[in-house]
Amino acid sequence: MRIGYTLMTEQAGPKQLVGHAVAAEKAGFAFEVCSDHYSPWLDEQGHAPYAWSVLGAVAQATDRVELMTYVTCPTMRYHPAVVAQKAATVQLLSDNRFTLGLGSGENLNEHVVGEGWPSLDVRHDMLAEAVQIIHGLFDGGHSSYAGEHFRVDSAKLWDLPDSRVPIAVAVSGEESIARFAPVADAMIAVQPEQRLCREWDEHWVGRAEGSARKIGQLPVCWDADRDAAIARAHEQFRWFGGGWKVNAELPGTAGFAGATQFVTPENVASAIPCGPDVEPILKSVREFADAGFTDLALVQIGGEHQDGFFSFAEKELLPALREAV
């Protein structure tokens, strides 16, 4: 399993994120994923810089790590033709280190353009059209499209990388897997469920040699003081426990604060590895490895608490993970 690091735009400003990217590469992480948000989940997180500007800077500041959006919604804030242009540009800036991670989005980020929030089936229809449009533009030449949700009029990517940008799509169940595995290069999911990986491979077979790349994400809260880690994880990451069916629907930080008002620090500590020890993190990582995930991006909770984590990762965590998974 390849272990990556999450540039979490909800918890740090743009310059800090670029610094984190450089430090994560130095520490030995294999890849870096970047969230693409207009708003943090909770007021306590306090940030939401523009992910694509951050990625452009990170592409120049790093040399080795693969980069990825985790994930971009290519349907409301951004027209899919513009997403294709952004992805091609980052691929060029990074010397072919970029993967475009896509998903159907959250109300939290997409409602800002004033177009309302569609039902899940409509969001999936929109995402399917968007993926088709992006593939068409990656093919090169002029591309036009007329669908139920999007139109493209003779668009062309004038700066197209030699290496086609891989597309990864976030899924959560059989329906979304059946729809997007045939048109994607990799799977994104946040639950270590074996059925997701198995079903993805069943629908993905024939697109390439070997098994598909499956990319998960795991929040952790490293701190020398376990009680401080639990308190910080509860303050900034209690939203995570709602699950994506809830998280996709709430429109703002006040909604997430209200929905999680009864989540206790103990609840959070039971779901997120907290404290200074390697073993709780190893246990959670093994769950993803056993489920069939090939890649896992760690989130260190707390924007101002990355330096100690990088030292811990370089000296203890990453060597232990290489040995174990």
Side-chain angles (χ1 to χ4, degrees):
M1 174 179 278
R2 300 169 73 249
I3 303 299
Y5 172 79
T6 301
L7 299 166
M8 192 172 181
T9 59
E10 303 96 292
Q11 67 175 15
K15 288 187 176 181
Q16 289 74 27
L17 289 166
V18 176
H20 297 165
V22 173
E25 181 178 65
K26 183 179 179 182
F29 286 96
F31 65 100
E32 298 177 8
V33 305
C34 182
S35 56
D36 187 352
H37 272 234
Y38 199 88
S39 170
W41 301 98
L42 295 164
D43 287 350
E44 290 88 346
Q45 292 176 319
H47 294 276
Y50 183 55
W52 292 89
S53 295
V54 171
L55 282 167
V58 168
Q60 297 300 289
T62 58
D63 299 309
R64 171 188 56 82
V65 287
E66 294 181 22
L67 304 174
M68 179 179 176
T69 49
Y70 202 102
V71 293
T72 291
C73 176
T75 61
M76 297 189 72
R77 273 184 302 148
Y78 312 133
H79 190 283
V82 177
V83 172
Q85 183 188 35
K86 294 190 288 190
T89 300
V90 174
Q91 182 78 314
L92 288 165
L93 288 171
S94 65
D95 294 323
N96 302 320
R97 290 184 283 138
F98 182 65
T99 295
L100 176 61
L102 300 175
S104 58
E106 301 95 17
N107 194 4
L108 174 72
N109 302 300
E110 308 307 320
H111 80 272
V112 297
V113 296
E115 296 295 329
W117 185 233
S119 62
L120 180 59
D121 58 337
V122 173
R123 300 200 303 268
H124 279 173
D125 289 344
M126 295 173 74
L127 180 58
E129 287 193 15
V131 171
Q132 187 175 351
I133 290 166
I134 292 167
H135 272 308
L137 288 164
F138 285 171
D139 286 341
H142 286 86
S143 180
S144 296
Y145 181 88
E148 182 179 352
H149 300 286
F150 298 107
R151 296 186 66 87
V152 176
D153 182 14
S154 191
K156 176 182 176 179
L157 297 180
W158 290 90
D159 289 279
L160 197 64
D162 292 334
S163 180
R164 189 186 184 96
V165 180
I167 294 176
V169 178
V171 296
S172 59
E174 184 177 359
E175 182 179 343
S176 56
I177 288 172
R179 188 162 198 178
F180 294 107
V183 296
D185 301 290
M187 181 189 89
I188 293 170
V190 295
Q191 297 297 328
E193 297 180 9
Q194 190 176 52
R195 67 174 182 85
L196 297 176
C197 296
R198 182 181 65 252
E199 291 171 4
W200 183 274
D201 280 340
E202 289 173 356
H203 289 279
W204 188 82
V205 167
R207 287 184 53 78
E209 295 182 4
S211 61
R213 188 180 183 192
K214 305 169 195 73
I215 307 153
Q217 189 177 55
L218 174 69
V220 304
C221 195
W222 180 88
D223 198 289
D225 183 336
R226 185 169 186 269
D227 290 339
I230 292 172
R232 186 167 72 249
H234 176 258
E235 176 193 55
Q236 297 195 22
F237 235 78
R238 62 188 185 275
W239 63 271
F240 192 73
W244 290 105
K245 288 185 178 180
V246 173
N247 294 344
E249 303 300 333
L250 296 177
T253 57
F256 281 94
T260 59
Q261 61 182 311
F262 299 115
V263 175
T264 67
E266 292 74 22
N267 295 147
V268 173
S270 68
I272 295 174
C274 294
D277 299 325
V278 169
E279 187 53 40
I281 301 175
L282 286 180
K283 180 180 178 182
S284 294
V285 170
R286 287 191 190 102
E287 292 179 0
F288 280 90
D290 291 345
F293 283 80
T294 61
D295 301 72
L296 186 65
L298 304 183
V299 182
Q300 161 63 0
I301 298 172
E304 302 302 317
H305 296 268
Q306 304 299 305
D307 290 345
F309 174 71
F310 290 134
S311 178
F312 164 70
E314 182 176 10
K315 296 174 183 176
E316 299 182 55
L317 179 60
L318 289 175
L321 287 172
R322 294 185 193 110
E323 190 87 11
V325 297

